[in-house]
Amino acid sequence: MAKVIQRRSLTLLERSYLWEIIKGMGTTFKHLFRNFKNPEKMQLMSYPEVEVQTPQNYRGSHRLMKRPDGEPRCVACYMCSTACPARCITIEAEPSSDPRIEKKPRKFEIDWLVCVFCGLCEEACPVDAIRMDTRKVAISHYTRKEFIADMPRLLNWDPKDFPANDAQSQKAPGGKQNQQAKQIWGLEVKHS
Amino acid sequence: MEMVKRPLPAGFQKVSGDDNTEEYFINMGPQHPATHGVLRLVLRLDGETVRECVPHLGYIHRGIEKQAESETYLQYVHLTDRMDYLTSHMNNHSVCMAIEKAVGIGVPDRAEYIRVMVLELNRISSHLMMFGCFGGDLGAQTALLYGFKEREVITDIFDELCGARLTMNYFRPGGVANDIPDTFIARVKKVIVDVERTLEEFDRLITGNVIIQERSRGIGILTREDAIAYGCTGCVLRASGVPYDLRKDDPYSIYDRLDFDVPTKQNGDSFDRYVIHIDEIRQSIRILQQCIEQIPEGPYRSKEKPSYRLPAGSYYAATETAKGIFGTYVVAEKGDKPWRIHSRSPNFANLSPIGKMVKGHMIADVVTVITTLDILIPDIDR
């Protein structure tokens, strides 16, 4: 169980320092030549020029999903703002014009300076209206006011940036409304 | 000229010293790069010899425990990411275990295996960081870069797994947030091969290096009795000859099904504390290999709907993180918010014997002791 390892004393060769320095430099130079041989394996990135490729589920800045008619999918249920530990989501509701849906948001604001990007809002949403998969992680503005994202900004995303095989990421629930969605987006939407 | 008598800084004792030498005080930190964060050590020096050392804390106090009282239990999980950010999965695990204990929800088998794999990957990444800092603080910048290079691969796995690189927030009461991606197992296998290969290299480069050995052997000795008395846990305790590991002695999750050793050393000096970390990486690799073979199919999160309203009472759950024992003590009352949450952080206990350990050593040895204690200040201050 307990593993006791005995300590050995330094040998004469080790005491001489010189042999150890040669050994250490050998390792360092091995790495150097390995990197020369295939530089693409080096974990280096010229950051501002080359953008970091984060995976699709990376928790970045938010977006609001849309229905086929272009309206936000959000039903203003306040689940996300309740789940938010930083309390950065502000929602104001108003009656929806669609008779099947009770409410829709009049105001939906996320303060990205307050947000801690924990992903709980995404998890709490019952209609999959809020997502954090824009992969935009470097959010920079000049004033604090610009960091508060309002509804038009959250709805302003290009479907071409998201995987086409995920029908959910393109439009609202499937069925015959797919045709509508195709016309609105101007692209083929696959659904299973 | 008459000498001005200044009062001693807080925490120091009056000694009747000899008048021929001049003792002076120096602040090491809070902006010292070798103190691993905003730690301020006040040193009483005689020439370059440390006579006394008193750590001053509180520079990164964020009131996490107080904030927890106004948040629900699920919201508290992500706050523990911000304590010891190198072992964030393990902190989350501790909180989730306390909630599971209180509500009485079980965790599916697959979720337990995912958890253990993630925990051990996290342990490897934390130990690699310690390896890098150990080399970097002693002047071997090569080690710093190599450690970070290996760590990057593990961080990339977490990146794909839970969508974050540092503040994971992946564990939930009753399981994990989402299932592992298809590439996960293959990537873990690759990490195992990589780390096993590079550990040999690290051993050659740093552990066998005579300069490192002479700078760390016999420096900052922590005796077995002191380690127990100060409440040290983790690698610091095991380097002093106490084979205490919560994974073996009070098995939680599925650690009782897995076969691994608890590396222990006898001398309790800086070199032993460093070598323990390297040995532990090897044990973590063994655990990972067993998990890959045994991982079953099934749900990744309990189907029982957790109410997240804990029955009134107090609950405690502890995990063995890469630094030591991280415990979460929850006092629950009626409602969805805790009355009080306290975290037993391993780093605080591990830092406390530093005054005893550095006494009589040179000022450069203080850096060696700090880096081998493997402390992290955000966890101490919270």
Side-chain angles (χ1 to χ4, degrees), chain A residues 1-10 14-15 17 20-21 23-25 27-32 34-35 43 53-55 57-59 82-87 116-120 123, chain B residues 70-71 75 78 82 146 149 152-153 159-165 167-169 172 197 201 204-205 208-211 213-214 217 243 261-267 269 271-272 279 283 301:
Chain A
M1 191 173 142
K3 202 171 118 194
V4 181
I5 299 148
Q6 292 307 319
R7 174 179 292 188
R8 69 181 179 86
S9 54
L10 295 174
E14 279 170 345
R15 260 174 222 289
Y17 282 80
E20 287 299 315
I21 290 170
K23 248 169 62 177
M25 292 310 269
T27 312
T28 319
F29 273 95
K30 207 173 79 194
H31 275 260
L32 178 72
R34 197 187 290 159
N35 286 342
Q43 279 164 341
Q53 280 302 311
T54 48
N57 67 343
Y58 194 84
R59 295 201 296 263
T82 311
C84 179
R87 300 171 184 85
V116 291
F117 297 95
C118 63
L120 288 180
E123 215 166 277
Chain B
S70 60
E71 311 228 325
Q75 287 175 348
H78 94 283
R82 274 94 180 153
Y146 287 3
K149 192 179 136 202
E152 184 67 19
V153 185
D159 197 351
E160 197 191 12
L161 177 71
C162 47
R165 298 169 69 84
T167 52
M168 319 285 189
N169 195 19
R172 299 278 184 276
R197 181 172 50 82
E201 216 168 71
R204 258 206 318 279
L205 189 70
N209 188 301
V210 62
I211 300 169
Q213 292 204 14
E214 292 200 350
R217 277 187 177 195
D261 293 324
V262 179
T264 311
K265 297 270 177 184
Q266 294 300 324
N267 304 56
D269 58 0
F271 186 66
D272 273 2
D279 284 343
Q283 299 304 327
R301 195 168 173 181

Side-chain angles (χ1 to χ4, degrees), chain A residues 30 43 52 90 100 117 127 143 166 184 189:
Chain A
K30 207 173 79 194
Q43 279 164 341
V52 186
T90 319
R100 293 167 299 174
F117 297 95
V127 292
T143 58
D166 179 10
I184 289 163
V189 181

